[in-house]
Amino acid sequence: MRFFWLVILSLSLPALLLGCATSDFLGNFNLISPREEEQLGEQLSDEIRKESKEIQDKEIVGYIQAIGQKLVSVSMQPGEPYAFHVIKDDSVNAFAIPGGHIYVHTGLIAAAENEAEIAAVIAHEMGHAENHHPTENMSRAIGAQILTGIILGNEPGALQQAAAGLVANGGLSAYSRSAEREADSTAVFLLNRAGYDPNAIVTFFEKLLAIEKQQGGGSIGISLFSSHPDTVERINNAKAQINTFNVQRASAKEIIGGFQAVNAKVKSMDSTGQDAVKTEARR
Ligand SMILES: [Zn+2]
């Protein structure tokens, strides 16, 4: 799910609360309507706010939202509701939940070298969201019946458990290979269309590979660019897709502006992120 990335430094992926799906998704058994998906997203995001250290700092969140909205404006579904959130978490990760809510970890902002790399990750998560992968993933993992119960407000325990699992695991359980390919392909398309250098997805993948190697490889779950399909294969697929753009290839590493300040702010945050989390409340 995560598009790419969650570098879990200390946890072995726990038996995911939300189930573990490693085979390709066959057929669409997602019976949740778009309206229900939106409601589910609202409920989960409210719960995630309670369960996580969601950042309220306007400079950081505003920056991520601006990148997200830039990508939404060039997407195939520019009218779709999206909400972009930032969570204080040092792992290099981002994830999407149902209803167009996309979460970026502070560790990802800290690890990125420029705005285009952050945009690459957000665009990948949008690829999952556009294709309703998070909802499919959840309905497969906990069952459409419980999911419907959550939407109706009949399953407060399950809602709370699902939100806690999302926060603890940095997103949903693994997406299928085809879902990851689809999200990667959407990301390259959106980056190019927005004016970002689509090679940012390649440089970020390479960064994750380097982190993986540094950590000894193998045992580190990089969920963002999850380890299947193979990261090298994903890099090659992205490069091949970029080559088809020819003259339209975009090259901006920065469109919104302010990367250095946001990157520095995130890096200087205390380990709890409380400063940024509580700043707004104090004002
Ligand atoms: Zn993914």
Side-chain angles (χ1 to χ4, degrees):
M1 104 180 83
R2 322 90 165 252
F3 162 17
F4 299 87
W5 344 10
L6 155 105
V7 178
I8 297 187
L9 298 176
S10 54
L11 303 168
S12 60
L13 264 187
L16 294 178
L17 166 71
L18 297 171
C20 184
T22 52
S23 60
D24 279 4
F25 180 69
L26 300 171
N28 186 351
F29 58 82
N30 177 9
L31 302 171
I32 310 291
S33 73
R35 177 75 195 112
E36 289 171 330
E37 199 173 40
E38 227 175 285
Q39 287 174 336
L40 179 61
E42 287 302 307
Q43 288 170 299
L44 281 170
S45 68
D46 284 348
E47 205 60 34
I48 288 173
R49 195 168 297 122
K50 294 180 212 158
E51 301 279 343
S52 70
K53 292 171 190 149
E54 191 165 335
I55 299 287
Q56 301 296 333
D57 182 279
K58 278 186 185 149
E59 186 182 16
I60 299 170
V61 180
Y63 180 65
I64 295 302
Q65 286 173 340
I67 296 171
Q69 291 306 332
K70 175 76 200 166
L71 294 164
V72 171
S73 72
V74 299
S75 75
M76 301 306 275
Q77 300 162 315
E80 285 294 296
Y82 272 99
F84 299 92
H85 311 263
V86 180
I87 288 179
K88 171 63 190 165
D89 187 314
D90 293 340
S91 57
V92 183
N93 192 30
F95 61 93
I97 66 166
H101 291 267
I102 293 180
Y103 291 84
V104 174
H105 283 188
T106 48
L108 184 129
I109 300 171
E113 231 155 82
N114 54 52
E115 182 182 315
E117 288 189 348
I118 297 175
V121 180
I122 294 175
H124 173 101
E125 295 306 326
M126 284 175 61
H128 284 309
E130 271 188 13
N131 294 294
H132 306 279
H133 295 157
T135 308
E136 286 175 358
N137 191 308
M138 278 193 84
S139 64
R140 185 176 45 217
I142 68 177
Q145 206 179 342
I146 293 177
L147 212 53
T148 306
I150 289 176
I151 293 163
L152 293 172
N154 298 335
E155 298 276 2
L159 171 66
Q160 201 254 342
Q161 202 184 1
L166 286 165
V167 172
N169 298 320
L172 294 154
S173 53
Y175 288 119
S176 67
R177 280 165 186 256
S178 58
E180 293 302 346
R181 286 194 191 106
E182 205 167 14
D184 284 351
S185 170
T186 301
V188 172
F189 170 82
L190 286 177
L191 286 172
N192 188 61
R193 208 149 182 235
Y196 285 113
D197 178 2
N199 289 294
I201 198 168
V202 173
T203 59
F204 202 80
F205 270 136
E206 287 169 346
K207 193 160 295 166
L208 291 171
L209 274 181
I211 294 172
E212 207 171 22
K213 231 175 248 174
Q214 202 182 9
Q215 299 292 326
S219 64
I220 296 166
I222 293 185
S223 60
L224 191 48
F225 285 96
S226 74
S227 53
H228 65 92
D230 181 78
T231 308
V232 174
E233 180 199 317
R234 295 174 75 174
I235 289 172
N236 291 335
N237 288 346
K239 282 181 176 168
Q241 190 181 350
I242 291 164
N243 281 333
T244 66
F245 291 148
N246 295 321
V247 289
Q248 311 108 288
R249 191 177 307 165
S251 61
K253 295 267 197 291
E254 182 156 301
I255 293 177
I256 304 304
F259 171 79
Q260 295 300 344
V262 170
N263 177 266
K265 197 171 200 174
V266 163
K267 284 178 176 167
S268 70
M269 247 180 229
D270 70 27
S271 60
T272 65
Q274 284 310 299
D275 284 352
V277 172
K278 296 231 172 103
T279 303
E280 295 304 310
R282 273 193 228 114
R283 277 178 190 157

